[in-house]
Structure formats: C-alpha cells, structure tokens
Amino acid sequence: DAGVIQSPRHEVTEMGQEVTLRCKPISGHDYLFWYRQTMMRGLELLIYFNNNVPIDDSGMPEDRFSAKMPNASFSTLKIQPSEPRDSAVYFCASSAKQGGHTGELFFGEGSRLTVL
Amino acid sequence: GNSVTQMEGPVTLSEEAFLTINCTYTATGYPSLFWYVQYPGEGLQLLLKATKADDKGSNKGFEATYRKETTSFHLEKGSVQVSDSAVYFCALSPNTNAGKSTFGDGTTLTVKP
C-alpha cells in the first residue's frame, strides 16, 4: 500500500517566487494535515482538512500561504511570494477517524524548502 | 485545550542503557495516545499507541502505558541501540470526529556505542 506521497522532496527557490507543494494522501483517509518543521519552532500544524473541506487554518502564518484540497486524493500548499523565513521542511499527513480508526497520523517524507 | 508536555532533551545514552522519556498530557475525555519517531531526514512514523486507560503499547522493544490517573504515557526501552538515535514525539488524538492531534515538542535521543 502506498503511503502519503509528497512532491517535490527538495525545492530551492529565490525570494519572491511562488512555491507549490503537493500531497497525495492514503486512499480512504478523510483527514489531511499540513505541518511545518523548523529547528527554531519545531513541528507546527498549518491547516487541516476533513473530507476535502478546510476545518482549521489558524496555523497558516499569513496571507502568503494558501492550501487547497480539490478532491480526496490531492492537496496543495502554496506560498506566494516566498521569503527566506519560509525555509523549512513541510510535511503532509493523513488519517482516518471513521470506522473505529484511532486517528494515528501517516506522514509523508516531507518537502524541504530553501528560499534564498 | 489539549496539551502534551515532554521531557526536554537532548538525551544522550550509551548503548544498552535504559531509556525513559516522560510524557504527560491534558485533554478532555479519553484521547488516544501515541509515540512517533523521526529518524534523520525522514518523516514521523508511528512507534506505538494506546487507545484506552491501562493499555500498553509496544513495538521494537519500546513500551508505554496509558495512565489516566497520572495523565502520563512515558516511553521506555530496556536496552537502547545506536539505531534508536532519533527524535521522539508524544502525541494525543481526541476521540471525536472533529479531533486533531496535539504533539509534544519532541525529544532528541542520541545513543553512543
């Protein structure tokens, strides 16, 4: 069974450029989460979706960040324009709360973003 | 709101030493509790879990018991190996459909040969 798939694994871009990170959750999972991890701030929840609907985006740093989930098998996190302080590893995770699932998260391998 | 407090790191041990990483939580109701592990350059992965009071989760020689009376879920291993070097996260997930996980800050473990 394929796990959570993220792309790209590494992205290096210049300040001001648009960055799009992609995520394919595990089939059948109804929750999708975007996290950001840095040395300074640790693991931060940015936004999460339930059945493709954004539920809580209070962790999104500012208007430069946006996330969409057009269908159950795909989500994007966009940063426009990017800034050096956005450099981090971005993780996508999915989980299933229905049918007795306990809510454990399945993480992708992450997208390491470097903004110069 | 929900919260998870983990023992601060980093923790450095010699191979075959006993490991304990403390974790306490605050939550309403009866959450599920988890330990995740993150190896260098990788995403987090589930190490073990417990879904109700007095449950013991175990995997790869690691154990943790869900203690509702002390709201704790301490991680233990009797004999650590160099390959156990990683960051360990304690987390909880509310048992409601609208729940989202709450993570501790993570504890970095380094095991020296």
Side-chain angles (χ1 to χ4, degrees):
Chain A
D1 227 4
V4 175
I5 299 172
Q6 291 187 248
S7 64
R9 288 296 312 279
H10 301 274
E11 174 90 8
V12 180
T13 190
E14 293 189 346
M15 183 173 64
Q17 296 298 305
E18 178 179 294
V19 173
T20 299
L21 307 179
R22 298 172 178 81
C23 175
K24 176 179 170 55
I26 292 173
S27 177
H29 282 189
D30 52 348
Y31 280 82
L32 183 138
F33 304 81
W34 282 101
Y35 286 88
R36 178 172 69 175
Q37 187 177 41
T38 61
M39 290 292 292
M40 290 296 293
R41 301 174 69 93
L43 192 66
E44 303 173 277
L45 176 64
L46 301 178
I47 184 172
Y48 78 97
F49 297 82
N50 177 220
N51 292 324
N52 314 338
V53 176
I55 302 301
D56 184 350
D57 65 354
S58 60
M60 296 286 261
E62 49 200 271
D63 292 346
R64 297 185 298 107
F65 285 69
S66 62
K68 294 182 179 179
M69 192 165 185
N71 57 61
S73 58
F74 184 66
S75 178
T76 60
L77 178 67
K78 186 175 293 187
I79 309 172
Q80 166 64 18
S82 59
E83 296 182 4
R85 60 185 166 140
D86 302 330
S87 298
V89 181
Y90 291 81
F91 289 104
C92 178
S94 67
S95 74
K97 292 290 280 189
Q98 303 296 335
H101 291 272
T102 56
E104 76 178 78
L105 295 179
F106 294 79
F107 283 80
E109 294 189 332
S111 294
R112 180 174 294 276
L113 173 65
T114 302
V115 183
L116 303 175
Chain B
N2 298 334
S3 68
V4 174
T5 303
Q6 268 184 250
M7 179 172 107
E8 288 190 18
V11 174
T12 302
L13 296 173
S14 296
E15 207 165 22
E16 299 183 3
F18 184 85
L19 168 71
T20 299
I21 301 178
N22 289 339
C23 171
T24 57
Y25 68 92
T26 302
T28 55
Y30 302 92
S32 294
L33 302 176
F34 305 88
W35 278 100
Y36 291 86
V37 59
Q38 184 180 28
Y39 299 105
E42 299 183 11
L44 283 72
Q45 56 185 275
L46 181 71
L47 178 60
L48 54 85
K49 66 181 179 184
T51 59
K52 60 183 186 297
D54 300 325
D55 265 4
K56 177 185 282 188
S58 62
N59 186 25
K60 298 181 181 179
F62 291 88
E63 292 183 341
T65 301
Y66 191 142
R67 300 284 188 206
K68 187 156 181 65
E69 64 276 12
T70 55
T71 61
S72 65
F73 194 55
H74 305 320
L75 182 68
E76 296 182 337
K77 186 174 185 181
S79 175
V80 294
Q81 306 300 312
V82 172
S83 57
D84 294 327
S85 297
V87 182
Y88 293 81
F89 292 88
C90 185
L92 68 83
S93 175
N95 282 330
T96 61
N97 288 337
K100 63 180 182 181
S101 294
T102 300
F103 282 82
D105 291 336
T107 301
T108 300
L109 170 66
T110 301
V111 181
K112 296 188 173 181

